[in-house]
Amino acid sequence: MLDIEAPSVDSARMRRAGRELLSLALMDSRNHTLRWIGAFEQALSTPELDVPQAKDLSPPLWELGHLGWFQERWIARNVQRQRGARCDPTQSRLPSVLPDADRSYDPAEVSHAGRWKLELPDLQSTKQYLVETLETTLDLLESTPADDDDALYFYRLALFHEDMRCEHFAQMSQTLGFDAGLLAAPAAINARDPLLFPATRWPLGCEPGGFVFDNEKWVHEVEVPEFEIDAQPVTWAQYAEFVEDGGYDAREFWHPQAWEWLQREGRRSPRHVDQLRHGVLQQRLGKLMRVPMAQPVVHVSWHEADAWCRWAGRRLPSEVEWEAAAHQGASRGFRWGDVWEWTASTFRPYPGFVPGPQRDYSQAAFGSHKVLRGASFATRGRMRSAKFRHFQSPERDDLFCGFRSCAL
């Protein structure tokens, strides 16, 4: 494992990073991946790193190979890599150094359930595949123009893709119940009064320049009426009042699909919670812990966040309200980054949307998923952007997600 001490590689400036800093960041991200895989090796009892088949899990061995495949597919095998987002994803590719790589690691060819049925290379062979693909990536990066956004596009994409998969490793460690020693607990929050923002026209989305995800393109003005929004996410103390008031039994606070989900899951409190009366006892990374009531509530689905807001006589913010508040309220105590935050917004394309080369990144989720904003305590610093649009289906509660509310 390489020993990299470069704190700047974990800053939000990496979206515009040039060749030299990007090279360090790619090594830093791979080191982080290997730390997570080492933790899975210690926690799981089989050399194949077997995990149960579940919608919020994925075989770690598949995930590891997929990272090498993704980087190789878009960089070493991509004859149009210098074109960046203008690359034609249907063009022929160079062969992989690993036989049958596409049939093993391409999500377009392997369903989520199918990942458990594959005969994959063993762990040592998979690690060697990652060594070879990263070495090739770094060699190619050396001959790439130092600050050309198109030429650096796929190197930045590979970096952020690996960072996102590492957060998925963190989520899986919580689901499986083991502590990798790589996560700090979310901080307690000092209560602040809600913030009032005047009506405005907000530039939603990103300007050209640096790396931009396809669903962030492009900036466009949106009318935003006056709104009041919480200065920080809802805490356990606030959420416990909803539970103690019988919120999980009151159908009037849940829209029909949410109520069906609630009955199907048999929930009486958020995921991983053993007790939510007279204090919070929650399973965190395999340990039952008493959670400070001032910490933000975490592992709640969109359904639960929406139900709490209905009970409290409030509502979830739209994503444009959240983004405007995050920028305009930075000096007024608007706190974000402890947990991903559900918004009221359904995930939809911005005007004039054109899919990026990674065609399956955004399009399949439009219209069915909800937008989350912010970041969590497991998110790498370089992934933290008030413009970033996370998205998940409304029943997902395995990620480190919470919410804040707005006045009606």
Side-chain angles (χ1 to χ4, degrees):
M1 188 179 295
L2 297 168
D3 184 16
I4 301 297
E5 289 190 14
S8 61
V9 301
D10 200 27
S11 73
R13 65 183 285 203
M14 290 307 303
R15 283 203 179 207
R16 294 178 179 268
R19 183 178 61 205
E20 302 305 321
L21 193 57
L22 192 53
S23 177
L24 292 173
L26 286 163
M27 289 187 281
D28 171 74
S29 187
R30 182 55 48 82
N31 282 342
H32 198 55
T33 293
L34 294 175
R35 291 186 192 100
W36 272 112
I37 290 301
F40 275 89
E41 286 183 78
Q42 288 189 337
L44 303 177
S45 58
T46 65
E48 295 81 14
L49 306 184
D50 291 332
V51 299
Q53 184 172 333
K55 63 183 179 181
D56 52 6
L57 294 174
S58 185
L61 196 58
W62 185 90
E63 288 284 344
L64 190 63
H66 170 75
L67 288 173
W69 169 86
F70 187 94
Q71 193 174 99
E72 184 190 33
R73 171 184 171 83
W74 291 113
I75 298 174
R77 298 172 59 193
N78 183 6
V79 296
Q80 292 189 7
R81 62 178 172 271
Q82 298 278 9
R83 299 190 65 194
R86 296 179 291 109
C87 159
D88 176 8
T90 65
Q91 44 87 27
S92 298
R93 298 178 181 279
L94 299 174
S96 171
V97 298
L98 184 70
D100 297 323
D102 290 334
R103 284 199 291 269
S104 296
Y105 300 117
D106 187 348
E109 296 197 26
V110 182
S111 68
H112 182 264
R115 299 174 188 179
W116 278 266
K117 302 173 184 177
L118 295 168
E119 292 186 12
L120 298 172
D122 63 22
L123 180 57
Q124 190 56 44
S125 299
T126 304
K127 287 183 177 179
Q128 184 58 38
Y129 177 49
L130 263 69
V131 169
E132 294 176 15
T133 52
L134 180 59
E135 286 179 347
T136 302
T137 292
L138 297 178
D139 287 344
L140 292 169
L141 181 56
E142 280 187 10
S143 59
T144 300
D147 295 296
D148 184 289
D149 283 341
D150 285 337
L152 296 175
Y153 176 87
F154 286 111
Y155 298 93
R156 293 166 175 166
L157 175 65
L159 171 66
F160 295 133
H161 173 263
E162 188 150 351
D163 285 340
M164 285 189 276
R165 301 320 295 167
C166 278
E167 184 155 356
H168 182 54
F169 286 139
Q171 293 164 198
M172 288 204 296
S173 73
Q174 168 68 0
T175 300
L176 294 168
F178 71 88
D179 187 356
L182 297 173
L183 293 176
I189 296 174
N190 293 323
R192 289 177 175 265
D193 292 334
L195 303 175
L196 182 66
F197 292 92
T200 186
R201 287 183 61 84
W202 182 255
L204 186 65
C206 290
E207 298 274 4
F211 181 86
V212 183
F213 289 96
D214 62 4
N215 61 65
E216 299 170 344
K217 300 178 181 178
W218 289 114
V219 66
H220 58 289
E221 287 197 344
V222 178
E223 292 280 357
V224 185
E226 179 183 85
F227 67 99
E228 178 199 283
I229 188 169
D230 294 336
Q232 63 277 312
V234 169
T235 64
W236 283 111
Q238 293 170 290
Y239 198 86
E241 293 181 33
F242 168 64
V243 177
E244 292 174 359
D245 197 38
Y248 278 78
D249 298 314
R251 188 169 185 165
E252 63 267 26
F253 300 133
W254 304 77
H255 67 73
Q257 287 183 330
W259 186 253
E260 290 177 9
W261 171 84
L262 186 64
Q263 303 314 301
R264 186 170 61 250
E265 295 292 319
R267 287 287 169 81
R268 307 294 300 166
S269 61
R271 187 172 183 172
H272 303 301
V273 170
D274 282 24
Q275 174 186 305
L276 194 50
R277 293 179 184 274
H278 313 296
V280 182
L281 289 177
Q282 186 185 37
Q283 294 285 343
R284 286 199 172 172
L285 304 173
K287 298 177 182 178
L288 186 62
M289 302 177 62
R290 185 168 294 278
V291 178
M293 299 298 280
Q295 283 186 3
V297 64
V298 67
H299 295 301
V300 289
S301 67
W302 184 91
H303 295 315
E304 290 165 298
D306 179 67
W308 183 93
C309 288
R310 292 169 185 248
W311 166 82
R314 293 179 69 81
R315 62 176 176 83
L316 290 172
S318 66
E319 65 169 319
V320 67
E321 288 172 328
W322 192 98
E323 184 178 308
H327 284 86
Q328 296 179 314
S331 62
R332 297 172 55 193
F334 187 92
R335 179 189 177 111
W336 65 274
D338 297 295
V339 291
W340 289 104
E341 299 180 34
W342 290 108
T343 71
S345 299
T346 298
F347 184 52
R348 301 190 190 282
Y350 288 162
F353 171 81
V354 175
Q358 189 188 356
R359 291 287 193 256
D360 59 351
Y361 177 63
S362 298
Q363 290 188 106
F366 286 148
S368 60
H369 288 44
K370 293 294 184 180
V371 175
L372 301 104
R373 287 304 194 102
S376 82
F377 58 89
T379 307
R380 297 303 302 270
R382 54 181 168 254
M383 284 294 301
R384 292 170 177 261
S385 167
K387 293 283 186 179
F388 181 71
R389 305 175 79 197
H390 198 358
F391 50 94
Q392 286 290 353
S393 53
E395 72 277 1
R396 289 291 293 270
D397 54 11
D398 56 303
L399 60 159
F400 302 111
C401 49
F403 66 99
R404 75 181 69 216
S405 70
C406 282
L408 293 175

